[in-house]
């Protein structure tokens, strides 16, 4: 059978690489690039009668926007750092061979399939002041009422939001690192060990530097998502300051048409800050 | 180049505008029977807030079923979390010159309607084509004005609502019954009251109650926006609300972000007062077991805000004939009576029952409300007219800047 007909990969692989990539690149350019260009044009007042810098000036001179930016940066940095640290630790534990390893790996990655909004609601039911833990504490007589339970959702430090992102992204980071370790194999570490390195030194000086590129790539994805996503902070966030994407959404749904260009400017600000920080992370790698 | 682009865009918008104006004009020249024949076999896309299952079922099953059976029209209900999303769709389409828009009807009122009217996004001038429009008293100022914006034949009324407070009589036997009482009550019961932060619709309406109280009543705020008056009233309002903060839920450091969150917090006994712009929701929540049987809703002695909500047809709607048939059905005595049944929705009607058939009149006379829902007559004794969008948006922005930071 094989060889008698031209396989699909051969057809796709034929011709110039750019030609083969054209369908995928076309979709990205039209759907993603098109949206980005329209959003950028909208932030300069296109469709509202003439080009203007006013929406950007208004957004950049507003204290609320900067406070929202600060909160979103805190959420994204804290979530990424915790998820990377825990994900790395989990991957190092899970790569060892032990009885029940398959089950442990399955349990580890099971929440990858759960949508963020569902996870956020779960966090709400678990951690809020009238949530499951608060009810347990109340039942045990530790607190008098909901107000006695520490504020872990809709709280000033965004603990609920960060808890959700860490819960959701640790398996993602861990899975990418596990795959990466599999392709690196045991050889580099074994070589270091045979040259007299301790197990810890072999891991720190050989394995970790080899994992770094994958960790930065996975971390960048987590950062971009937790910085730019709207559904988790809208469910678990406090009222003021809102996370930057929530603020953009509020402006976008403001009945006053004049607020639309500002919404676009905030959305573009999210994309810009995210792109610059990720660029910096990749630059720092080499 | 820039000018050329702008000119091109303008021409496109103009051409699009002309195209849908023509289609609408053709309908207006038809008799009602011809409109119904044009609509037959088509579909209508209704965009509406989708947060209440009973309302969704009424529109999809009751209205959608009748459209299917009597006119062979398919009703597609598109749920929204915020009505401005649908306005955004229409705005984007009209800007792009799309004559055949995706939105045929939006459940709307207030600022969103003003936005559509200002942007020439609403189709106007068809209301007297609807046979059932005769059941509505369009001379009633509460129907002729949508949050102070004259309706002028650009939308059709659907229901009336009036703001009410609610409490659990087992937990809070003596709830506060005026804004000053409420402030004293909140201070005496620290942590047991809060309100959703504007721009949440219901939270903003609560802030308007305090604002109206400070102004000395709704009469002082009627008419066009008055900056001097606003500054004077706003300063005192923000002071009252800021002084209240230490006594609120979480010492006012944060507020719930939606009325749904406040409803859950009330159900979970985190707070002791609830309020809603649609008291029928209290009955629904009791029936669903979210609120206890001992729930009651009530108005304030100094009055609560009331408004009418409407259905609007966008200027570029692709299925205008089917939308007209749907609007006519929504206004029929039978559909309005069904909507007023407490187990269906319990929504107050916009028609004059005595203009409807004998059966419908008898049906309205026999309506029984849910014991937890305050009667519309009792509430209506102290109804405050809604402020115009200039006032409401200034109050929202002022709260965010001065209180909610």
């Amino acid at each position: 059978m094989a060889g008698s007909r031209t396989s699909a990969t051969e057809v796709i692989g034929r011709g110039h690489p750019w030609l083969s990539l054209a369908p995928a690149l076309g979709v990205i350019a039209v759907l993603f690039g098109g949206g980005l260009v329209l959003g950028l044009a909208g932030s300069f007042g296109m469709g509202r009668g003439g080009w203007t810098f006013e929406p950007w000036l208004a957004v950049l001179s507003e204290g609320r926007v900067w406070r929202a930016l600060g909160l979103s940066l805190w959420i994204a940095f804290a979530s990424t750092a915790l998820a990377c640290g825990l994900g790395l630790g989990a991957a190092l534990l899970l790569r060892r061979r032990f009885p029940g390893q398959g089950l442990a790996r399955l349990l580890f990655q099971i929440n990858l399939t759960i949508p963020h909004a569902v996870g956020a609601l779960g966090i709400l039911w678990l951690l809020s002041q009238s949530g499951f833990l608060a009810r347990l504490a109340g039942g045990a007589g530790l607190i008098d009422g909901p107000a006695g339970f520490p504020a872990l959702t809709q709280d000033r430090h965004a603990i609920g939001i960060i808890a959700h992102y860490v819960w959701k992204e640790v398996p993602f980071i861990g899975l990418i690192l596990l795959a990466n370790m599999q392709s690196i194999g045991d050889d580099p570490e074994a070589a270091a060990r045979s040259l007299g390195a301790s197990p810890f030194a072999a891991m720190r000086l050989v394995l970790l530097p080899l994992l770094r590129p994958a960790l930065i790539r996975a971390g960048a994805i987590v950062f971009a998502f937790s910085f730019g996503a709207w559904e988790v902070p809208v469910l678990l966030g406090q009222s003021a300051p809102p996370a930057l994407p929530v603020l953009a959404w509020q402006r976008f749904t403001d009945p006053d048409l004049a607020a639309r260009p500002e919404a676009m400017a905030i959305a573009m600000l999210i994309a810009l800050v995210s792109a610059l920080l990720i660029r910096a992370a990749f630059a720092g790698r080499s | 180049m820039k000018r050329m682009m702008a000119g091109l865009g303008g021409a496109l918008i103009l051409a699009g505008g002309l195209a849908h104006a023509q289609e609408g004009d053709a309908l207006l020249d038809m008799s009602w029977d011809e409109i119904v024949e044009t609509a037959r076999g088509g579909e209508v896309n209704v965009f509406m807030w989708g947060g209440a299952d009973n309302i969704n079922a009424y529109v999809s099953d009751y209205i959608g079923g009748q459209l299917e059976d009597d006119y062979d029209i398919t009703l597609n209900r598109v749920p929204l979390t915020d009505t401005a999303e649908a306005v955004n769709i229409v705005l984007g389409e009209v800007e792009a010159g799309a004559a055949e828009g995706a939105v045929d009807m939006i459940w709307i009122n207030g600022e969103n309607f003003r936005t559509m009217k200002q942007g020439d996004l609403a189709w106007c001038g068809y209301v007297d084509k609807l046979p059932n429009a005769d059941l509505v008293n369009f001379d009633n100022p509460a129907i002729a004005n949508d949050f102070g914006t004259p309706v002028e034949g650009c939308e059709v009324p659907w229901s009336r609502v009036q703001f009410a407070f609610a409490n659990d009589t087992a937990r809070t036997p003596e709830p506060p019954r005026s804004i000053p009482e409420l402030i004293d009550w909140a201070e005496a019961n620290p942590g047991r009251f809060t309100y959703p932060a504007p721009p949440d619709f219901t939270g903003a309406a609560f802030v308007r109650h305090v604002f109206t109280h400070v102004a000395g009543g709704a009469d002082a705020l009627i008419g066009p926006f008055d900056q001097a008056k606003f500054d004077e009233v706003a300063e005192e309002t923000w002071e009252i609300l800021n002084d209240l903060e230490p006594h609120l839920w979480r010492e006012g450091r944060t507020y719930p972000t939606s009325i749904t969150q406040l409803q859950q917090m009330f159900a979970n006994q985190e707070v002791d007062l609830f309020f809603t712009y649609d008291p029928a929701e209290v009955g629904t929540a009791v029936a669903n077991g979210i609120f206890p049987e001992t729930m009651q809703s009530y108005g304030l002695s100094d009055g609560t805000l009331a408004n009418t909500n409407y259905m609007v047809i966008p200027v570029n709607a692709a299925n205008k004939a089917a939308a007209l048939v749907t609007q006519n059905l929504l206004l029929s005595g039978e559909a309005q009576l069904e909507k007023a049944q407490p187990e269906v929705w319990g929504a107050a009607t916009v028609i004059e029952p005595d203009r409807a058939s004998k059966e419908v009149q008898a049906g309205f006379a026999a309506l029984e409300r849910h014991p937890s829902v305050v009667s519309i007559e009792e509430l209506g004794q102290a109804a405050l007219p809604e402020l115009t969008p200039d006032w409401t948006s200034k109050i929202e922005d002022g709260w965010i800047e001065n209180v909610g930071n």
Side-chain angles (χ1 to χ4, degrees), chain B residues 234-268:
Chain B
E235 195 186 347
E236 199 184 330
T237 307
W238 309 149
E239 200 182 310
I240 290 177
L241 292 175
N242 278 322
D243 289 347
L244 188 62
E245 270 196 348
H247 312 290
L248 296 178
W249 174 74
R250 299 246 184 113
E251 287 90 46
R253 283 191 306 270
T254 187
Y255 292 82
T257 49
S258 68
I259 189 63
T260 320
Q261 194 188 332
L262 185 70
Q263 190 190 37
Q264 261 154 21
M265 282 165 49
F266 181 89
N268 290 335

mmCIF file of all heavy atoms in Angstrom, chain B residues 234-268:
data_model
loop_
_atom_site.group_PDB
_atom_site.id
_atom_site.type_symbol
_atom_site.label_atom_id
_atom_site.label_comp_id
_atom_site.label_asym_id
_atom_site.label_seq_id
_atom_site.Cartn_x
_atom_site.Cartn_y
_atom_site.Cartn_z
ATOM 1 N N ALA B 234 -24.073 66.071 43.236
ATOM 2 C CA ALA B 234 -23.081 64.993 43.186
ATOM 3 C C ALA B 234 -22.152 65.066 44.395
ATOM 4 O O ALA B 234 -21.863 64.047 45.031
ATOM 5 C CB ALA B 234 -22.285 65.076 41.895
ATOM 6 N N GLU B 235 -21.709 66.271 44.740
ATOM 7 C CA GLU B 235 -20.753 66.398 45.835
ATOM 8 C C GLU B 235 -21.308 65.777 47.117
ATOM 9 O O GLU B 235 -20.632 65.005 47.798
ATOM 10 C CB GLU B 235 -20.434 67.885 46.056
ATOM 11 C CG GLU B 235 -19.207 68.084 46.906
ATOM 12 C CD GLU B 235 -18.976 69.554 47.248
ATOM 13 O OE1 GLU B 235 -19.620 70.423 46.638
ATOM 14 O OE2 GLU B 235 -18.166 69.813 48.141
ATOM 15 N N GLU B 236 -22.590 66.096 47.396
ATOM 16 C CA GLU B 236 -23.185 65.571 48.619
ATOM 17 C C GLU B 236 -23.417 64.054 48.504
ATOM 18 O O GLU B 236 -23.232 63.318 49.473
ATOM 19 C CB GLU B 236 -24.507 66.298 48.897
ATOM 20 C CG GLU B 236 -24.945 66.157 50.351
ATOM 21 C CD GLU B 236 -26.304 66.803 50.603
ATOM 22 O OE1 GLU B 236 -26.641 67.794 49.918
ATOM 23 O OE2 GLU B 236 -27.033 66.295 51.493
ATOM 24 N N THR B 237 -23.805 63.605 47.301
ATOM 25 C CA THR B 237 -24.051 62.169 47.105
ATOM 26 C C THR B 237 -22.773 61.367 47.338
ATOM 27 O O THR B 237 -22.779 60.349 48.039
ATOM 28 C CB THR B 237 -24.574 61.907 45.679
ATOM 29 O OG1 THR B 237 -25.700 62.736 45.435
ATOM 30 C CG2 THR B 237 -24.970 60.456 45.494
ATOM 31 N N TRP B 238 -21.661 61.826 46.755
ATOM 32 C CA TRP B 238 -20.400 61.082 46.917
ATOM 33 C C TRP B 238 -19.986 61.078 48.384
ATOM 34 O O TRP B 238 -19.448 60.091 48.885
ATOM 35 C CB TRP B 238 -19.273 61.649 46.059
ATOM 36 C CG TRP B 238 -19.582 61.861 44.603
ATOM 37 C CD1 TRP B 238 -19.042 62.830 43.789
ATOM 38 C CD2 TRP B 238 -20.462 61.103 43.759
ATOM 39 N NE1 TRP B 238 -19.563 62.721 42.521
ATOM 40 C CE2 TRP B 238 -20.424 61.678 42.466
ATOM 41 C CE3 TRP B 238 -21.303 60.013 43.969
ATOM 42 C CZ2 TRP B 238 -21.178 61.196 41.392
ATOM 43 C CZ3 TRP B 238 -22.061 59.529 42.905
ATOM 44 C CH2 TRP B 238 -21.979 60.117 41.638
ATOM 45 N N GLU B 239 -20.269 62.191 49.070
ATOM 46 C CA GLU B 239 -19.908 62.259 50.488
ATOM 47 C C GLU B 239 -20.694 61.212 51.278
ATOM 48 O O GLU B 239 -20.128 60.479 52.090
ATOM 49 C CB GLU B 239 -20.204 63.670 51.010
ATOM 50 C CG GLU B 239 -19.447 64.014 52.274
ATOM 51 C CD GLU B 239 -19.821 65.413 52.767
ATOM 52 O OE1 GLU B 239 -19.783 66.351 51.945
ATOM 53 O OE2 GLU B 239 -20.173 65.527 53.946
ATOM 54 N N ILE B 240 -22.004 61.141 51.020
ATOM 55 C CA ILE B 240 -22.837 60.155 51.725
ATOM 56 C C ILE B 240 -22.337 58.739 51.445
ATOM 57 O O ILE B 240 -22.163 57.926 52.357
ATOM 58 C CB ILE B 240 -24.309 60.292 51.283
ATOM 59 C CG1 ILE B 240 -24.906 61.601 51.829
ATOM 60 C CG2 ILE B 240 -25.135 59.099 51.756
ATOM 61 C CD1 ILE B 240 -26.332 61.852 51.395
ATOM 62 N N LEU B 241 -22.070 58.459 50.168
ATOM 63 C CA LEU B 241 -21.675 57.089 49.803
ATOM 64 C C LEU B 241 -20.274 56.753 50.314
ATOM 65 O O LEU B 241 -20.001 55.609 50.682
ATOM 66 C CB LEU B 241 -21.776 56.895 48.287
ATOM 67 C CG LEU B 241 -23.217 56.911 47.742
ATOM 68 C CD1 LEU B 241 -23.225 56.829 46.230
ATOM 69 C CD2 LEU B 241 -24.038 55.769 48.341
ATOM 70 N N ASN B 242 -19.384 57.737 50.347
ATOM 71 C CA ASN B 242 -18.047 57.477 50.895
ATOM 72 C C ASN B 242 -18.100 57.265 52.403
ATOM 73 O O ASN B 242 -17.383 56.420 52.945
ATOM 74 C CB ASN B 242 -17.095 58.631 50.545
ATOM 75 C CG ASN B 242 -16.526 58.490 49.142
ATOM 76 O OD1 ASN B 242 -16.219 57.386 48.703
ATOM 77 N ND2 ASN B 242 -16.398 59.596 48.436
ATOM 78 N N ASP B 243 -18.980 58.045 53.091
ATOM 79 C CA ASP B 243 -19.132 57.849 54.530
ATOM 80 C C ASP B 243 -19.733 56.481 54.838
ATOM 81 O O ASP B 243 -19.507 55.919 55.903
ATOM 82 C CB ASP B 243 -20.031 58.948 55.122
ATOM 83 C CG ASP B 243 -19.325 60.292 55.141
ATOM 84 O OD1 ASP B 243 -18.091 60.293 54.932
ATOM 85 O OD2 ASP B 243 -19.990 61.326 55.342
ATOM 86 N N LEU B 244 -20.521 55.977 53.884
ATOM 87 C CA LEU B 244 -21.174 54.693 54.087
ATOM 88 C C LEU B 244 -20.179 53.532 53.947
ATOM 89 O O LEU B 244 -20.348 52.470 54.551
ATOM 90 C CB LEU B 244 -22.296 54.556 53.040
ATOM 91 C CG LEU B 244 -23.258 53.376 53.138
ATOM 92 C CD1 LEU B 244 -24.038 53.436 54.443
ATOM 93 C CD2 LEU B 244 -24.228 53.389 51.952
ATOM 94 N N GLU B 245 -19.117 53.745 53.149
ATOM 95 C CA GLU B 245 -18.207 52.655 52.773
ATOM 96 C C GLU B 245 -17.726 51.788 53.931
ATOM 97 O O GLU B 245 -17.784 50.561 53.844
ATOM 98 C CB GLU B 245 -16.999 53.210 51.996
ATOM 99 C CG GLU B 245 -17.261 53.240 50.514
ATOM 100 C CD GLU B 245 -16.003 53.400 49.673
ATOM 101 O OE1 GLU B 245 -14.931 53.718 50.226
ATOM 102 O OE2 GLU B 245 -16.102 53.208 48.457
ATOM 103 N N PRO B 246 -17.250 52.381 55.065
ATOM 104 C CA PRO B 246 -16.711 51.519 56.136
ATOM 105 C C PRO B 246 -17.745 50.540 56.686
ATOM 106 O O PRO B 246 -17.379 49.538 57.308
ATOM 107 C CB PRO B 246 -16.287 52.513 57.225
ATOM 108 C CG PRO B 246 -16.315 53.851 56.607
ATOM 109 C CD PRO B 246 -17.141 53.792 55.370
ATOM 110 N N HIS B 247 -19.049 50.833 56.456
ATOM 111 C CA HIS B 247 -20.098 49.971 57.013
ATOM 112 C C HIS B 247 -20.576 48.925 56.018
ATOM 113 O O HIS B 247 -21.452 48.129 56.328
ATOM 114 C CB HIS B 247 -21.288 50.824 57.464
ATOM 115 C CG HIS B 247 -20.881 51.993 58.299
ATOM 116 N ND1 HIS B 247 -20.400 51.858 59.576
ATOM 117 C CD2 HIS B 247 -20.832 53.323 58.024
ATOM 118 C CE1 HIS B 247 -20.090 53.045 60.064
ATOM 119 N NE2 HIS B 247 -20.335 53.954 59.138
ATOM 120 N N LEU B 248 -20.025 48.946 54.800
ATOM 121 C CA LEU B 248 -20.486 48.021 53.762
ATOM 122 C C LEU B 248 -19.767 46.680 53.858
ATOM 123 O O LEU B 248 -18.813 46.506 54.625
ATOM 124 C CB LEU B 248 -20.245 48.624 52.383
ATOM 125 C CG LEU B 248 -21.018 49.910 52.056
ATOM 126 C CD1 LEU B 248 -20.639 50.411 50.679
ATOM 127 C CD2 LEU B 248 -22.511 49.671 52.139
ATOM 128 N N TRP B 249 -20.196 45.744 53.026
ATOM 129 C CA TRP B 249 -19.526 44.454 52.837
ATOM 130 C C TRP B 249 -18.050 44.704 52.512
ATOM 131 O O TRP B 249 -17.736 45.594 51.725
ATOM 132 C CB TRP B 249 -20.231 43.723 51.693
ATOM 133 C CG TRP B 249 -19.606 42.441 51.249
ATOM 134 C CD1 TRP B 249 -19.630 41.246 51.898
ATOM 135 C CD2 TRP B 249 -18.910 42.231 50.020
ATOM 136 N NE1 TRP B 249 -18.980 40.297 51.146
ATOM 137 C CE2 TRP B 249 -18.526 40.871 49.995
ATOM 138 C CE3 TRP B 249 -18.565 43.041 48.937
ATOM 139 C CZ2 TRP B 249 -17.827 40.316 48.936
ATOM 140 C CZ3 TRP B 249 -17.873 42.497 47.882
ATOM 141 C CH2 TRP B 249 -17.509 41.140 47.888
ATOM 142 N N ARG B 250 -17.140 43.994 53.171
ATOM 143 C CA ARG B 250 -15.695 44.168 53.007
ATOM 144 C C ARG B 250 -15.270 45.623 53.241
ATOM 145 O O ARG B 250 -14.382 46.137 52.545
ATOM 146 C CB ARG B 250 -15.251 43.749 51.605
ATOM 147 C CG ARG B 250 -15.532 42.299 51.296
ATOM 148 C CD ARG B 250 -14.265 41.519 51.132
ATOM 149 N NE ARG B 250 -14.518 40.161 50.756
ATOM 150 C CZ ARG B 250 -14.190 39.630 49.576
ATOM 151 N NH1 ARG B 250 -13.572 40.381 48.685
ATOM 152 N NH2 ARG B 250 -14.430 38.385 49.339
ATOM 153 N N GLU B 251 -15.947 46.307 54.135
ATOM 154 C CA GLU B 251 -15.642 47.708 54.467
ATOM 155 C C GLU B 251 -15.595 48.594 53.218
ATOM 156 O O GLU B 251 -14.899 49.604 53.186
ATOM 157 C CB GLU B 251 -14.316 47.839 55.223
ATOM 158 C CG GLU B 251 -14.384 47.365 56.670
ATOM 159 C CD GLU B 251 -14.051 45.884 56.774
ATOM 160 O OE1 GLU B 251 -13.067 45.474 56.147
ATOM 161 O OE2 GLU B 251 -14.781 45.139 57.435
ATOM 162 N N GLY B 252 -16.340 48.200 52.174
ATOM 163 C CA GLY B 252 -16.413 49.034 50.978
ATOM 164 C C GLY B 252 -15.112 49.106 50.198
ATOM 165 O O GLY B 252 -14.996 49.936 49.295
ATOM 166 N N ARG B 253 -14.130 48.246 50.518
ATOM 167 C CA ARG B 253 -12.882 48.269 49.741
ATOM 168 C C ARG B 253 -13.128 47.778 48.329
ATOM 169 O O ARG B 253 -12.449 48.163 47.396
ATOM 170 C CB ARG B 253 -11.813 47.404 50.416
ATOM 171 C CG ARG B 253 -11.156 48.061 51.618
ATOM 172 C CD ARG B 253 -9.934 47.260 52.055
ATOM 173 N NE ARG B 253 -10.282 45.861 52.291
ATOM 174 C CZ ARG B 253 -10.679 45.387 53.472
ATOM 175 N NH1 ARG B 253 -10.754 46.183 54.506
ATOM 176 N NH2 ARG B 253 -10.988 44.124 53.601
ATOM 177 N N THR B 254 -14.105 46.888 48.197
ATOM 178 C CA THR B 254 -14.499 46.448 46.863
ATOM 179 C C THR B 254 -16.006 46.267 46.861
ATOM 180 O O THR B 254 -16.645 46.231 47.921
ATOM 181 C CB THR B 254 -13.781 45.148 46.455
ATOM 182 O OG1 THR B 254 -14.101 44.868 45.087
ATOM 183 C CG2 THR B 254 -14.228 43.981 47.312
ATOM 184 N N TYR B 255 -16.562 46.205 45.656
ATOM 185 C CA TYR B 255 -18.005 46.043 45.502
ATOM 186 C C TYR B 255 -18.258 44.829 44.614
ATOM 187 O O TYR B 255 -17.389 44.460 43.825
ATOM 188 C CB TYR B 255 -18.610 47.293 44.841
ATOM 189 C CG TYR B 255 -18.581 48.527 45.696
ATOM 190 C CD1 TYR B 255 -17.433 49.319 45.788
ATOM 191 C CD2 TYR B 255 -19.704 48.927 46.410
ATOM 192 C CE1 TYR B 255 -17.409 50.460 46.568
ATOM 193 C CE2 TYR B 255 -19.686 50.077 47.198
ATOM 194 C CZ TYR B 255 -18.532 50.835 47.272
ATOM 195 O OH TYR B 255 -18.511 51.959 48.041
ATOM 196 N N PRO B 256 -19.448 44.223 44.721
ATOM 197 C CA PRO B 256 -19.772 43.190 43.728
ATOM 198 C C PRO B 256 -19.737 43.819 42.338
ATOM 199 O O PRO B 256 -19.983 45.021 42.198
ATOM 200 C CB PRO B 256 -21.206 42.763 44.089
ATOM 201 C CG PRO B 256 -21.514 43.382 45.392
ATOM 202 C CD PRO B 256 -20.566 44.490 45.643
ATOM 203 N N THR B 257 -19.420 43.022 41.320
ATOM 204 C CA THR B 257 -19.304 43.602 39.986
ATOM 205 C C THR B 257 -20.555 43.382 39.145
ATOM 206 O O THR B 257 -20.641 43.900 38.047
ATOM 207 C CB THR B 257 -18.090 43.020 39.242
ATOM 208 O OG1 THR B 257 -18.143 41.602 39.347
ATOM 209 C CG2 THR B 257 -16.797 43.509 39.850
ATOM 210 N N SER B 258 -21.521 42.608 39.648
ATOM 211 C CA SER B 258 -22.753 42.411 38.873
ATOM 212 C C SER B 258 -23.900 42.134 39.827
ATOM 213 O O SER B 258 -23.698 41.747 40.978
ATOM 214 C CB SER B 258 -22.594 41.235 37.909
ATOM 215 O OG SER B 258 -22.512 40.030 38.638
ATOM 216 N N ILE B 259 -25.134 42.326 39.318
ATOM 217 C CA ILE B 259 -26.305 42.058 40.158
ATOM 218 C C ILE B 259 -26.424 40.566 40.436
ATOM 219 O O ILE B 259 -26.894 40.146 41.492
ATOM 220 C CB ILE B 259 -27.595 42.630 39.503
ATOM 221 C CG1 ILE B 259 -28.781 42.552 40.457
ATOM 222 C CG2 ILE B 259 -27.918 41.924 38.198
ATOM 223 C CD1 ILE B 259 -28.639 43.378 41.708
ATOM 224 N N THR B 260 -25.919 39.733 39.498
ATOM 225 C CA THR B 260 -25.929 38.285 39.718
ATOM 226 C C THR B 260 -25.091 37.933 40.939
ATOM 227 O O THR B 260 -25.451 37.073 41.742
ATOM 228 C CB THR B 260 -25.353 37.573 38.487
ATOM 229 O OG1 THR B 260 -25.830 38.235 37.329
ATOM 230 C CG2 THR B 260 -25.759 36.134 38.449
ATOM 231 N N GLN B 261 -23.942 38.625 41.077
ATOM 232 C CA GLN B 261 -23.076 38.360 42.231
ATOM 233 C C GLN B 261 -23.785 38.758 43.524
ATOM 234 O O GLN B 261 -23.707 38.041 44.527
ATOM 235 C CB GLN B 261 -21.761 39.125 42.064
ATOM 236 C CG GLN B 261 -20.683 38.642 43.026
ATOM 237 C CD GLN B 261 -19.450 39.526 42.985
ATOM 238 O OE1 GLN B 261 -19.149 40.155 41.965
ATOM 239 N NE2 GLN B 261 -18.746 39.586 44.086
ATOM 240 N N LEU B 262 -24.498 39.901 43.498
ATOM 241 C CA LEU B 262 -25.220 40.323 44.704
ATOM 242 C C LEU B 262 -26.312 39.306 45.047
ATOM 243 O O LEU B 262 -26.522 38.984 46.221
ATOM 244 C CB LEU B 262 -25.834 41.716 44.506
ATOM 245 C CG LEU B 262 -26.498 42.281 45.763
ATOM 246 C CD1 LEU B 262 -25.453 42.630 46.817
ATOM 247 C CD2 LEU B 262 -27.347 43.502 45.455
ATOM 248 N N GLN B 263 -26.984 38.799 44.011
ATOM 249 C CA GLN B 263 -28.035 37.807 44.252
ATOM 250 C C GLN B 263 -27.453 36.568 44.937
ATOM 251 O O GLN B 263 -28.019 36.048 45.896
ATOM 252 C CB GLN B 263 -28.696 37.428 42.931
ATOM 253 C CG GLN B 263 -29.953 36.595 43.129
ATOM 254 C CD GLN B 263 -30.477 36.020 41.829
ATOM 255 O OE1 GLN B 263 -29.705 35.621 40.949
ATOM 256 N NE2 GLN B 263 -31.774 35.985 41.678
ATOM 257 N N GLN B 264 -26.270 36.115 44.451
ATOM 258 C CA GLN B 264 -25.651 34.938 45.066
ATOM 259 C C GLN B 264 -25.199 35.236 46.496
ATOM 260 O O GLN B 264 -25.352 34.405 47.386
ATOM 261 C CB GLN B 264 -24.450 34.508 44.231
ATOM 262 C CG GLN B 264 -24.805 33.355 43.324
ATOM 263 C CD GLN B 264 -23.932 33.293 42.105
ATOM 264 O OE1 GLN B 264 -22.837 33.853 42.099
ATOM 265 N NE2 GLN B 264 -24.404 32.627 41.085
ATOM 266 N N MET B 265 -24.666 36.443 46.696
ATOM 267 C CA MET B 265 -24.218 36.797 48.049
ATOM 268 C C MET B 265 -25.402 36.851 49.006
ATOM 269 O O MET B 265 -25.304 36.453 50.170
ATOM 270 C CB MET B 265 -23.478 38.138 48.022
ATOM 271 C CG MET B 265 -22.057 38.004 47.492
ATOM 272 S SD MET B 265 -21.329 39.587 47.044
ATOM 273 C CE MET B 265 -21.686 40.537 48.495
ATOM 274 N N PHE B 266 -26.554 37.355 48.510
ATOM 275 C CA PHE B 266 -27.743 37.379 49.362
ATOM 276 C C PHE B 266 -28.204 35.950 49.662
ATOM 277 O O PHE B 266 -28.500 35.604 50.798
ATOM 278 C CB PHE B 266 -28.861 38.177 48.686
ATOM 279 C CG PHE B 266 -30.102 38.260 49.525
ATOM 280 C CD1 PHE B 266 -30.261 39.283 50.446
ATOM 281 C CD2 PHE B 266 -31.098 37.290 49.440
ATOM 282 C CE1 PHE B 266 -31.388 39.345 51.247
ATOM 283 C CE2 PHE B 266 -32.222 37.341 50.236
ATOM 284 C CZ PHE B 266 -32.364 38.372 51.143
ATOM 285 N N ALA B 267 -28.230 35.114 48.626
ATOM 286 C CA ALA B 267 -28.670 33.727 48.818
ATOM 287 C C ALA B 267 -27.755 32.994 49.800
ATOM 288 O O ALA B 267 -28.200 32.150 50.567
ATOM 289 C CB ALA B 267 -28.702 33.005 47.477
ATOM 290 N N ASN B 268 -26.440 33.330 49.780
ATOM 291 C CA ASN B 268 -25.474 32.696 50.673
ATOM 292 C C ASN B 268 -25.366 33.405 52.024
ATOM 293 O O ASN B 268 -24.441 33.136 52.788
ATOM 294 C CB ASN B 268 -24.092 32.656 50.019
ATOM 295 C CG ASN B 268 -24.052 31.674 48.865
ATOM 296 O OD1 ASN B 268 -24.821 30.734 48.826
ATOM 297 N ND2 ASN B 268 -23.163 31.910 47.926
#
